[in-house]
Amino acid sequence: MASKFFLLALLAFSASRALASDPGQLQDFCVADKTSQVFVNGFACKDPKTTVVEDFYFSGLHMAGNTSNKQGSIVTAVNVAQIAGLNTLGVSLARIDYAPYGQNPPHLHPRATEIPTGAIPVVIHFQVNIGNNEAIAIAALSSKNPGVITIANAVFGSKQTISDDILAKAFQVDKNIIDHIQAQF
């Protein structure tokens, strides 16, 4: 009886063996080839043999940006345009410098979700420095190229202008106010 059980166990074990493996190495990175004429969603990959350390490095985050503008802020974007090694990874980040009481005006990212330090915003979001000292924020974005649409620029400074009548009715103000705002853009 024991020999039958042993033979049955040996048969079951040998029948359950399977061989599986990857046919080749997976590609760990795809450094953007910004000179390629090939059109893909993003950038084509450069030959891994031509990859250099600079493809994975950006040296600007330690430097404060110039915040002497109307908004009192400046964004230093770090995406695939600055670090070619971010290609296909689906991540980027930004440093936002604020003057005292400066703001990063209402905006959205058409190809990403933003997670700034300290908060998780909704689709249209903004940040404001409520203090009388300079401030810095770091934001992570879920895209190698998140894009940005500043709401005021899109509404009041668009190339194909939106009718004063439409804007006056939408914002429930006089057309002269709309004209004054549009003149700023």
Side-chain angles (χ1 to χ4, degrees):
M1 181 74 168
S3 64
K4 286 183 182 179
F5 176 74
F6 175 73
L7 192 56
L8 185 60
L10 183 63
L11 180 64
F13 175 73
S14 62
S16 68
R17 280 185 67 200
L19 297 175
S21 67
D22 285 332
Q25 294 292 327
L26 295 176
Q27 183 174 351
D28 288 331
F29 59 87
C30 169
V31 174
D33 181 356
K34 297 176 189 171
T35 63
S36 174
Q37 298 301 311
V38 176
F39 178 76
V40 292
N41 184 7
F43 293 98
C45 302
K46 74 190 245 186
D47 184 341
K49 294 176 191 134
T50 65
T51 300
V52 293
V53 98
E54 289 78 17
D55 291 331
F56 300 92
Y57 179 75
F58 177 75
S59 66
L61 282 182
H62 67 290
M63 298 184 303
N66 182 358
T67 59
S68 61
N69 55 54
K70 288 182 180 183
Q71 299 297 333
S73 71
I74 190 73
V75 177
T76 303
V78 183
N79 55 43
V80 71
Q82 288 76 32
I83 302 178
L86 289 179
N87 196 35
T88 73
L89 294 181
V91 296
S92 60
L93 61 95
R95 171 188 169 137
I96 308 102
D97 289 281
Y98 302 92
Y101 307 103
Q103 70 169 355
N104 188 7
H107 63 280
L108 60 91
H109 304 282
R111 296 178 296 277
T113 299
E114 177 181 347
I115 304 174
T117 51
I120 301 176
V122 293
V123 177
I124 295 178
H125 56 277
F126 65 95
Q127 298 92 25
V128 125
N129 177 7
I130 59 171
N132 56 8
N133 294 314
E134 294 176 343
I136 299 170
I138 300 292
L141 295 114
S142 64
S143 171
K144 66 182 175 196
N145 187 14
V148 65
I149 298 173
T150 304
I151 304 307
N153 291 345
V155 173
F156 298 108
S158 61
K159 297 295 181 218
Q160 185 173 349
T161 59
I162 301 171
S163 162
D164 289 0
D165 292 328
I166 299 291
L167 293 175
K169 188 172 185 177
F171 290 103
Q172 300 176 13
V173 296
D174 187 79
K175 283 197 259 184
N176 292 331
I177 293 173
I178 298 298
D179 290 337
H180 176 73
I181 295 171
Q182 285 177 323
Q184 307 302 309
F185 295 89

